[in-house]
Amino acid sequence: MKPAIVVYKALLPTELRHKLDEHFSVTAFDELSSATYPAFLQALQNAEGLLGAGGKIDADLLDKAPCLRAASTISVGYDNFDVAEMTRRGIVLMNTPTVLTETVADTLMGLVLATARRMTELDAWIRAGGWKESITPPYYGHDVHHKTLGILGMGRIGTALAQRAHFGFGMPILYHSRSRHQEAETRFSARYCDLDTLLGQADFVCIILPLTQQTHHLIGREQLKKMKPGAMLINAGRGPIIDEKALITALQDGTLSAAGLDVFEQEPLPADSPLMTLPNVVLLPHIGSATHETRYGMTACAVDNLIAALHGNVKENCVNPEALKK
Ligand SMILES: NC(=O)C1=CN([C@@H]2O[C@H](COP(=O)(O)OP(=O)(O)OC[C@H]3O[C@@H](n4cnc5c(N)ncnc54)[C@H](OP(=O)(O)O)[C@@H]3O)[C@@H](O)[C@H]2O)C=CC1
Ligand SMILES: O=CC(=O)O
């Protein structure tokens, strides 16, 4: 008998669905809503595998999936999983690094440009009947090329961003990570520094860190005050890395000149969030990796990950290899 798996919030192209069907008995939920949730919980009872995107996968949910052996997330970030609890239970967690790196770096560079050059604001301006003759200096943007870029998190995506900024825009690069990254220092002349130095010297601060206990609210009121006057903050890591209340205040009182955000403390961003009405913010609905090509690559990777995990053949993309020893 084929192992049972549950697929949730994954838009599976036909060939990938067929691939899963070859290996597993699949129960799929395009959306998780109050209408579908009871059936989802029911299906979890026998599921050996779980494949999907988002959702809080904590001990309570794991209790409802007593047969689970592997979970495969269609994302590189896995802060929504209780990894320690999964490891304790011997449940392997797989993610999709690398396939999305270049696309998310493009998104970050796009946010830098859109924020500095006020692209969404001016798009709204022209749609409301405005034209450039009426744009006076207070509405001008700022240059990006040759400005200093600060990267928080010189991992896979941070490195791809540094490459774009160095070769494409001639930007001097500062970075902060847990450790030094020789490749970025050699290839892109990136300079390692502590967080306060980066905040004080960068014209653009780009956050592309994972959300962990250590990075939660890493950027709060005090850190925002340390940013260079006129600096802009870009976040595509995870919303809670920034204290959003402090961010809103800083954007309102001019401590921070502008922000470009793909991620938020609460997603979807509530309609009454002050961020919705601030002109000096570019908002994206967590679409860092959302291109046809990359979403396909991520989904294919997640499918292969689950097949490997449930066939005891894990070679890469395992978040908690210790679970394999259980
Ligand atoms: N908006 C979107 O759609 C997307 C968002 N993301 C987010 O981007 C994150 C990064 O992805 P990726 O680049 O592939 O991951 P990597 O693991 O390659 O890079 C993460 C980087 O963060 C650094 N880091 C981790 N913890 C700390 C800390 N406490 N202080 C300082 N630096 C820290 C790591 O440092 P070190 O190298 O020293 O270990 C590493 O350089 C994901 O976890 C996800 O949250 C990813 C894809 C899409
Ligand atoms: O946010 C997206 C991810 O892949 O992580």
Side-chain angles (χ1 to χ4, degrees):
M1 219 166 76
K2 293 178 187 173
I5 67 160
V6 170
V7 176
Y8 68 100
K9 286 170 69 178
L11 300 171
L12 285 175
T14 314
E15 63 278 19
L16 295 181
R17 172 62 199 246
H18 286 162
K19 195 168 184 181
L20 281 178
D21 286 332
E22 276 170 31
H23 293 266
F24 309 120
S25 166
V26 180
T27 308
F29 299 89
D30 288 350
E31 273 307 320
L32 290 184
S33 63
S34 48
T36 58
Y37 206 67
F40 171 71
L41 292 182
Q42 174 78 31
L44 278 186
Q45 278 177 12
N46 306 315
E48 293 184 47
L50 184 64
L51 185 149
K56 196 169 163 55
I57 314 294
D58 57 10
D60 276 355
L61 193 91
L62 295 173
D63 284 343
K64 310 221 165 41
C67 308
L68 201 64
R69 294 194 286 127
S72 179
T73 180
I74 310 172
S75 63
V76 66
Y78 48 84
D79 47 279
N80 54 318
F81 288 85
D82 184 338
V83 180
E85 188 55 33
M86 292 178 77
T87 306
R88 200 181 66 74
R89 297 178 190 218
I91 302 168
V92 174
L93 175 59
M94 314 289 289
N95 71 344
T96 62
T98 317
V99 282
L100 47 57
T101 296
E102 301 294 327
T103 298
V104 183
D106 288 350
T107 304
L108 277 160
M109 207 63 232
L111 267 178
V112 169
L113 287 166
T115 306
R117 300 296 304 274
R118 309 176 73 153
M119 287 186 189
T120 53
E121 205 183 337
L122 294 171
D123 175 281
W125 174 280
I126 193 169
R127 287 172 200 269
W131 191 245
K132 70 177 164 51
E133 285 79 4
S134 45
I135 303 246
T136 51
Y139 290 91
Y140 292 170
H142 286 277
D143 281 338
V144 170
H145 59 268
H146 300 131
K147 294 285 178 69
T148 299
L149 175 67
I151 301 180
L152 285 182
M154 190 61 89
R156 289 171 290 253
I157 301 169
T159 305
L161 173 64
Q163 181 182 31
R164 284 153 177 73
H166 176 71
F167 290 116
F169 295 85
M171 299 173 89
I173 295 164
L174 302 174
Y175 78 98
H176 179 69
S177 272
R178 286 174 302 196
S179 56
R180 299 273 296 254
H181 287 259
Q182 211 51 57
E183 184 202 356
E185 297 191 13
T186 311
R187 289 181 60 205
F188 317 128
S189 308
R191 187 159 66 80
Y192 183 84
C193 58
D194 62 29
L195 179 59
D196 284 357
T197 306
L198 184 147
L199 293 174
Q201 294 186 10
D203 296 298
F204 299 94
V205 174
C206 282
I207 301 175
I208 190 66
L209 294 163
L211 176 61
T212 62
Q213 279 178 359
Q214 291 71 39
T215 63
H216 183 266
H217 282 194
L218 184 70
I219 304 297
R221 193 165 157 265
E222 290 311 310
Q223 289 70 31
L224 290 164
K225 281 201 293 196
K226 287 176 181 160
M227 287 179 69
K228 191 173 167 177
M232 300 181 194
L233 183 61
I234 309 296
N235 187 13
R238 284 290 183 266
I241 295 170
I242 302 178
D243 176 347
E244 206 165 277
K245 271 200 186 125
L247 172 69
I248 290 165
T249 305
L251 287 162
Q252 285 168 335
D253 69 17
T255 306
L256 185 64
S257 133
L261 307 170
D262 185 43
V263 288
F264 305 91
E265 288 217 79
Q266 193 185 328
E267 296 182 5
L269 182 63
D272 61 356
S273 165
L275 288 172
M276 292 283 195
T277 52
L278 284 171
N280 49 344
V281 187
V282 175
L283 303 172
L284 293 178
H286 199 149
I287 50 76
S289 63
T291 63
H292 290 288
E293 298 86 348
T294 291
R295 281 291 164 87
Y296 184 91
M298 291 164 71
T299 310
C301 176
V303 164
D304 289 342
N305 284 343
L306 191 63
I307 293 169
L310 288 181
H311 290 334
N313 192 23
V314 171
K315 293 203 179 74
E316 55 184 1
N317 305 336
C318 182
V319 168
N320 59 345
E322 318 85 74
L324 292 166
K325 298 178 197 137
K326 299 259 169 164

